[in-house]
Amino acid sequence: MTYTTILTEIRGRVGVVTLNRPQAMNAFNTLMLTELFNALETFDKDETIGAMVVTGNEKAFAAGADIKEMAESTPFGMIKQGRVELWDRIRGIKKIVVAAVSGWALGGGCEFAISCDMIVASETAKFGQPEVTIGIIPGGGGTQRLARLLGKNLAMEMIINNRTLTAAEALQFGLANRVVPVDGYLDAAVAFAEEIAARAPLAVRMAKDSINTAFETTLTEGLKAEKRNFYPLFSTEDQKEGMKAFIEKRKPNWKGK
Ligand code: CO8
């Protein structure tokens, strides 16, 4: 498939998508969002791919939704174009998506990064939600995900006071999983994703689904959902293989079955 606003490559078992609108600080216009999700959904269906990485460039992961595209938008225009549904496509991805963030992750850029499953940040990464400074609020899930990830007060400060988090703060507050040197940050993120890609695919998928359920429901319902994902794994070849390999003191050979 050919894309005009993103680049895609496969490194080992990791599908990598690079946002590629450097002239606009990788601001998400409708085309780039559509291409990004088309690429992620294609990787998600590809059995040779075990995990994905989304990155930008050193200076900007993404500076938000494209303000120039949005400036004259109307509510019904946005509804008709399905803009909100477009951002929501990240929730349909079953494999693990790692955001490799360097430089600015602002507005929709920060929202997209925190919609991914994990974040590897370069030392220069900066996370912020400046929407209020241009007269709107986050619309790609930022108010909900940041409140859940960071708690109410810090989410308030980021969204209302335009507080930006440095990479070190993002790590300290649990928004980033790793902070790595800017040189080679993408390689570090791909290596991180490779580790995930080497794990039992069905177990990873069920684990992701179960953890995401924790954000949606009560503890009692969440525990039931976990059991619904736990028991079926005992019908997989990978469970038999994983436990046998442990007992035989060897590496398991996963089949994804
Ligand atoms: N949209 C469009 N163009 C942008 C954006 C953006 N978000 N960010 C930067 N650009 C463009 C600039 O206009 C500039 O273009 P030009 O050269 O044609 O003037 C070019 O990128 C380079 O930018 P700067 O000259 O500003 O570069 P600096 O290094 O001085 O500053 C910043 C970098 C700090 C990233 C700065 O560009 C900035 O503040 N950008 C805007 C950040 C922002 O406000 N983001 C929030 C956008 S709103 C949003 O994301 C809402 C999400 C809702 C999603 C749900 C929809 C349904």
Side-chain angles (χ1 to χ4, degrees):
M1 213 174 291
T2 48
Y3 299 110
T4 56
T5 58
I6 60 166
L7 305 170
T8 59
E9 62 178 313
I10 295 174
R11 294 208 208 169
R13 287 187 29 85
V14 177
V16 180
V17 181
T18 303
L19 306 175
N20 192 31
R21 295 187 74 219
Q23 73 286 2
M25 294 275 160
N26 287 334
F28 286 107
N29 61 8
T30 307
L31 179 62
M32 191 171 83
L33 264 180
T34 306
E35 291 191 339
L36 167 63
F37 288 121
N38 287 349
L40 291 178
E41 286 164 6
T42 303
F43 283 149
D44 209 28
K45 287 188 205 116
D46 182 339
E47 295 221 340
T48 67
I49 304 281
M52 293 166 247
V53 170
V54 179
T55 194
N57 56 54
E58 255 181 52
K59 197 168 172 201
F61 176 72
D66 191 314
I67 297 169
K68 291 167 189 164
E69 188 186 62
M70 267 187 318
E72 299 303 324
S73 291
T74 62
F76 282 111
M78 290 174 110
I79 291 169
K80 247 167 52 187
Q81 286 166 359
R83 292 253 189 101
V84 173
E85 290 80 357
L86 193 49
W87 286 86
D88 243 20
R89 279 168 70 182
I90 187 66
R91 300 178 75 198
I93 304 290
K94 305 283 188 293
K95 290 174 188 160
I96 296 290
V97 184
V98 176
V101 178
S102 185
W104 297 110
L106 295 179
C110 182
E111 292 178 288
F112 177 77
I114 62 173
S115 305
C116 293
D117 301 303
M118 289 185 247
I119 297 179
V120 173
S122 93
E123 290 159 337
T124 65
K126 292 174 283 287
F127 299 86
Q129 298 287 160
E131 285 89 341
V132 164
T133 68
I134 54 168
I136 59 169
I137 66 168
T143 62
Q144 302 307 298
R145 291 198 177 93
L146 281 178
R148 284 166 167 79
L149 274 169
L150 302 174
K152 185 185 106 178
N153 290 15
L154 192 49
M156 287 274 182
E157 205 178 330
M158 284 182 74
I159 293 166
I160 292 168
N161 295 19
N162 192 20
R163 172 163 173 194
T164 301
L165 297 188
T166 62
E169 287 172 325
L171 184 67
Q172 180 191 349
F173 299 134
L175 192 139
N177 295 76
R178 299 263 190 292
V179 177
V180 297
V182 66
D183 278 342
Y185 78 94
L186 179 56
D187 292 340
V190 171
F192 185 68
E194 271 291 2
E195 282 177 32
I196 297 163
R199 301 193 183 283
L202 295 171
V204 169
R205 180 171 166 161
M206 293 305 203
K208 169 170 169 164
D209 183 71
S210 302
I211 294 164
N212 282 337
T213 303
F215 291 94
E216 304 282 348
T217 189
T218 62
L219 180 62
T220 302
E221 288 307 314
L223 291 172
K224 283 185 201 158
E226 184 186 81
K227 296 295 173 290
R228 281 196 294 275
N229 283 340
F230 174 78
Y231 291 128
L233 288 169
F234 282 81
S235 68
T236 66
E237 290 182 27
D238 283 351
Q239 175 266 327
K240 299 288 174 287
E241 165 65 6
M243 294 193 179
K244 196 160 175 259
F246 173 82
I247 292 162
E248 293 171 0
K249 300 188 189 302
R250 61 171 173 82
K251 275 182 102 176
N253 179 19
W254 305 124
K255 295 213 174 81
K257 293 201 265 186

